[in-house]
Amino acid sequence: MPKAKYESIYKDLKQKIESQEYHCQELLPSENTMVEISGCSRNTIRRAVAQLVEELSLIHIAMCIRDKYKTDDRMKILEIGCGEGRDAVYLLEKGYHVTATDISPVAIEHCKEWFPDYSNCFQVLDCLSQHLDEKFGFIYAVSVLHMLVLDEDRRRFYQFISNHLTDDGFALLCTMGDGKEESRSDIQSAFDLQKRIHETTGTELLIAGTSCRKVNFDTLGKEITNNSLELTESGITSIMPDFPTIMYAVIRKCSHAK
């Protein structure tokens, strides 16, 4: 099913939730009903709903953190690792000032193509080696930190955040892990093709692997404090459907570093 079809279903569902046609915690129409209304397959409906759930769960986490720490609605927001851009666009449509970045030129090119009204808000950025000429009141990076295996890469990541936060700003990091176990992949084989089974079709696929490092809360806390940052809170949350369990940390610049 073309991307445009499930995107239109996803946008329709989101609009109805935001307009409260579907109220908070109210069940969506059944899968059978949505298939009849849209005239598409169950897989397309599931893909649209999965995209909706993932976006709204992440945005809910980010906005809860923003509201908890009483940040200014006019503040500048930076997203590191924006991917397809859905989260950034959700905030942009709400009137927030967002700069959405990704290391992939292809991802940014697609974001500019899919969201032409906000094309100037997307840019390519390697946060380990590049800098921006502005600071932000809120920075969030989801599923980025755990892809950095080497200590030096992780240090550069934290330094980028420290250098780009305003003195009273906060950052939200979400990284794979349960807060207890630690592991790291072999970066030499990070992009080797690996066999995966598609969860819907059962088809065997060859997918490029990636690097991954999971740390526990103790290690995470030490990394943060060793890089002139202060851990404000941390815990376990979920970003469905991809991350039923994921660690989060809210950080800010240390008082002596301001």
Side-chain angles (χ1 to χ4, degrees):
M1 178 65 64
K3 176 182 176 65
K5 185 63 176 179
Y6 87 82
E7 281 280 2
S8 67
I9 296 170
Y10 147 79
K11 289 178 180 178
D12 179 64
L13 290 173
K14 185 172 79 167
Q15 186 277 324
K16 288 177 178 175
I17 290 173
E18 292 176 344
S19 67
Q20 296 191 338
E21 183 174 340
Y22 298 150
H23 294 283
C24 181
Q25 298 186 343
E26 176 184 334
L27 291 176
L28 293 175
S30 70
E31 190 174 272
N32 287 338
T33 299
M34 286 193 279
V35 166
E36 291 178 5
I37 293 173
S38 63
C40 64
S41 68
R42 293 178 183 274
N43 285 342
T44 301
I45 295 297
R46 291 169 184 171
R47 190 176 179 188
V49 171
Q51 179 173 322
L52 181 71
V53 170
E54 180 179 6
E55 175 186 301
L56 293 183
S57 60
L58 170 58
I59 292 299
H60 176 72
I61 294 168
M63 290 299 95
C64 281
I65 294 299
R66 187 194 68 85
D67 293 341
K68 181 175 181 178
Y69 293 99
K70 298 180 173 60
T71 53
D72 191 336
D73 286 346
R74 297 167 295 177
M75 70 180 177
K76 295 179 180 178
I77 299 174
L78 174 66
E79 179 178 14
I80 302 174
C82 66
E84 295 184 351
R86 296 191 303 267
D87 304 319
V89 167
Y90 181 91
L91 295 175
L92 286 164
E93 289 175 343
K94 296 293 184 183
Y96 292 102
H97 305 284
V98 183
T99 298
T101 68
D102 200 282
I103 195 173
S104 167
V106 174
I108 295 300
E109 181 181 346
H110 283 310
C111 288
K112 289 176 176 289
E113 178 183 341
W114 293 335
F115 310 112
D117 292 345
Y118 304 109
S119 60
N120 292 335
C121 299
F122 292 96
Q123 66 181 83
V124 177
L125 173 72
D126 180 354
C127 66
L128 303 187
S129 62
Q130 296 177 300
H131 297 275
L132 300 174
D133 295 329
E134 55 186 326
K135 298 192 179 224
F136 302 85
F138 185 52
I139 298 174
Y140 67 98
V142 177
S143 305
V144 175
L145 181 57
H146 62 244
M147 299 182 70
L148 306 177
V149 175
L150 300 179
D151 290 339
E152 178 60 19
D153 287 345
R154 294 170 75 89
R155 184 191 69 79
R156 290 178 180 177
F157 174 80
Y158 289 119
Q159 284 301 304
F160 177 91
I161 291 177
S162 179
N163 291 337
H164 290 83
L165 273 178
T166 59
D167 287 346
D168 58 350
F170 289 87
L172 168 66
L173 310 179
C174 292
T175 183
M176 286 179 64
D178 61 5
K180 301 175 183 177
E181 302 296 328
E182 297 199 330
S183 65
R184 68 172 71 193
S185 63
D186 180 1
I187 61 173
Q188 300 301 321
S189 59
F191 298 103
D192 290 351
L193 292 179
Q194 303 173 2
K195 291 183 179 180
R196 294 285 189 272
I197 303 299
H198 193 283
E199 62 180 16
T200 301
T201 66
T203 305
E204 184 178 280
L205 304 172
L206 288 176
I207 304 294
T210 185
S211 56
C212 182
R213 180 176 177 183
K214 299 178 183 179
V215 301
N216 58 32
F217 281 122
D218 183 57
T219 299
L220 183 65
K222 289 177 181 177
E223 288 181 339
I224 291 168
T225 55
N226 288 342
N227 285 282
S228 301
L229 292 163
E230 179 181 319
L231 178 62
T232 302
E233 70 171 274
S234 61
I236 296 290
T237 186
S238 62
I239 301 175
M240 300 299 290
D242 293 330
F243 301 104
T245 299
I246 193 168
M247 299 165 63
Y248 78 89
V250 180
I251 61 178
R252 62 184 178 185
K253 297 172 75 170
C254 287
S255 300
H256 62 77
K258 297 179 180 179

